[in-house]
Amino acid sequence: MSDYLPSLSALRAFEAAARHLSMTLAAHELNVTPGAVSLQIRDLEATLGVQLFERKTRALALTLEGADYFTTMRSAFRQMRDATAALTARARGSVLNVTCTAGFATYWLVPRLSRFEALHPEIDVRISASHRVLDFQRDGIDLAIRHGLGGYDGLVSERLLDDELLPVCIPKISAALGDNPLPDALAGLQLIHDVYRVDWQLWLEAAGATGVDAARGPIFMHGNGAYDAMKSGLGVALMRRSFVEAELREGTVVAPFPMGVASRLAFHLVYPGAALDRPAAAAFRRWLILEAKG
């Protein structure tokens, strides 16, 4: 009995009647007679050995068991409807699932996404922002933007954005440093780190800084933590130039030491070879490459 499932038509009849608390409205929704709905539910109750409704003269009410069952059935039918809608939309090519890191989504992709939507309003882009590497087939991913060296087994990998590291801070902190400060001036400021703590050491060595402790300062494990701390005036953060281009132009963020340090790492557009057979994926790839060049 534990593996037995009632018929789908009986469950549909119960879910509709419980939602409307009306056999008549449920029948209208299912395009059958009220008598057919009532019969389906009585058969369901007999099969389960549980009374699901209290039948009154002019009202229909759920029993406690019926209310519990309805909660589960309502969720199950909603998931089935959502899954069906997603499947049919994907078959039409209108849904595109993209995964990338939270930082890339926040600072680079999302601020530009409205331009893609203006070009392709028929495509629904769904972004999964996570540091976890998702599986294309298992997780239903079409395209991924990954941070690394590139060259992923069995996948196409196209270099999208170089990873140039640049020290940035708010104008108040930059003004205190004066014009054209030497990198050594960082010895008197708080260095803000993200998960890539070694980045500060790389930049300080390339800039020829002396007397600066590259390990000093707070570490923020969350993708946006270092940026938010810098914006609050906590100190100087190393950011990817491509992530702060707009703020640098607007002057809300300043680069007191304009020298950037290129990393071997980069952001790569990664996808299975067959992904571009879908017009939506091919359109998004073309747009991404143009945006990266621009």
Side-chain angles (χ1 to χ4, degrees):
M1 181 69 180
S2 61
D3 293 333
Y4 174 77
L5 285 176
S7 71
L8 181 60
S9 58
L11 293 175
R12 287 185 66 207
F14 165 72
E15 191 271 342
R19 182 161 29 87
H20 293 293
L21 290 179
S22 167
M23 297 290 183
T24 301
L25 292 177
H28 180 73
E29 178 182 314
L30 300 175
N31 199 28
V32 296
T33 65
V37 173
S38 180
L39 180 61
Q40 289 272 21
I41 292 173
R42 289 189 183 279
D43 287 345
L44 179 61
E45 290 175 322
T47 299
L48 298 175
V50 176
Q51 184 178 346
L52 301 172
F53 288 99
E54 293 179 6
R55 295 164 177 83
K56 303 177 182 179
T57 304
R58 292 184 178 276
L60 192 64
L62 286 162
T63 64
L64 289 176
E65 293 83 0
D68 286 343
Y69 199 45
F70 172 58
T71 299
T72 301
M73 287 300 104
R74 178 174 55 184
S75 176
F77 273 96
R78 182 181 296 121
Q79 289 183 36
M80 285 190 285
R81 283 190 287 266
D82 290 347
T84 301
L87 181 64
T88 54
R90 184 175 171 82
R92 293 194 303 269
S94 59
V95 174
L96 188 71
N97 293 307
V98 179
T99 180
C100 60
T101 64
F104 187 87
T106 300
Y107 303 125
W108 196 89
L109 181 56
V110 172
R112 293 167 167 80
L113 197 55
S114 61
R115 297 203 280 264
F116 178 79
E117 292 171 345
L119 291 171
H120 297 280
E122 78 284 1
I123 300 176
D124 179 13
V125 180
R126 299 180 182 178
I127 300 171
S128 175
S130 171
H131 285 283
R132 185 170 66 91
V133 177
L134 302 181
D135 182 87
F136 286 93
Q137 185 171 3
R138 184 186 65 242
D139 297 308
I141 299 298
D142 296 295
L143 300 170
I145 295 98
R146 292 181 178 168
H147 184 245
L149 295 173
Y152 301 94
D153 289 343
L155 299 170
V156 178
S157 177
E158 298 181 276
R159 195 178 185 96
L160 193 63
L161 286 173
D162 290 329
D163 204 8
E164 185 185 7
L165 302 172
L166 184 71
V168 296
C169 60
I170 60 174
K172 180 180 179 180
I173 291 179
S174 178
L177 291 171
D179 296 332
N180 303 315
L182 296 174
D184 296 1
L186 285 169
L189 296 175
Q190 184 90 280
L191 303 185
I192 302 172
H193 304 264
D194 62 10
V195 291
Y196 304 104
R197 186 165 185 166
V198 71
D199 286 349
W200 265 116
Q201 184 66 45
L202 294 174
W203 189 90
L204 291 168
E205 289 177 357
T210 59
V212 182
D213 183 1
R216 189 187 74 252
I219 303 173
F220 293 87
M221 304 306 290
H222 186 272
N224 305 338
Y227 175 85
D228 293 338
M230 177 272 296
K231 288 285 285 186
S232 71
L234 185 61
V236 184
L238 266 185
M239 296 294 297
R240 294 172 178 87
R241 186 188 292 272
S242 59
F243 283 4
V244 291
E245 284 176 341
E247 288 91 338
L248 289 171
R249 286 195 300 268
E250 295 163 1
T252 56
V253 167
V254 180
F257 312 97
M259 187 192 81
V261 172
S263 167
R264 291 193 304 143
L265 305 178
F267 287 95
H268 298 263
L269 177 60
V270 183
Y271 51 89
L276 299 187
D277 291 343
R278 296 190 60 222
F284 195 75
R285 172 192 170 273
R286 287 193 300 269
W287 174 80
L288 268 181
I289 291 173
L290 288 174
E291 283 289 328
K293 290 179 178 178

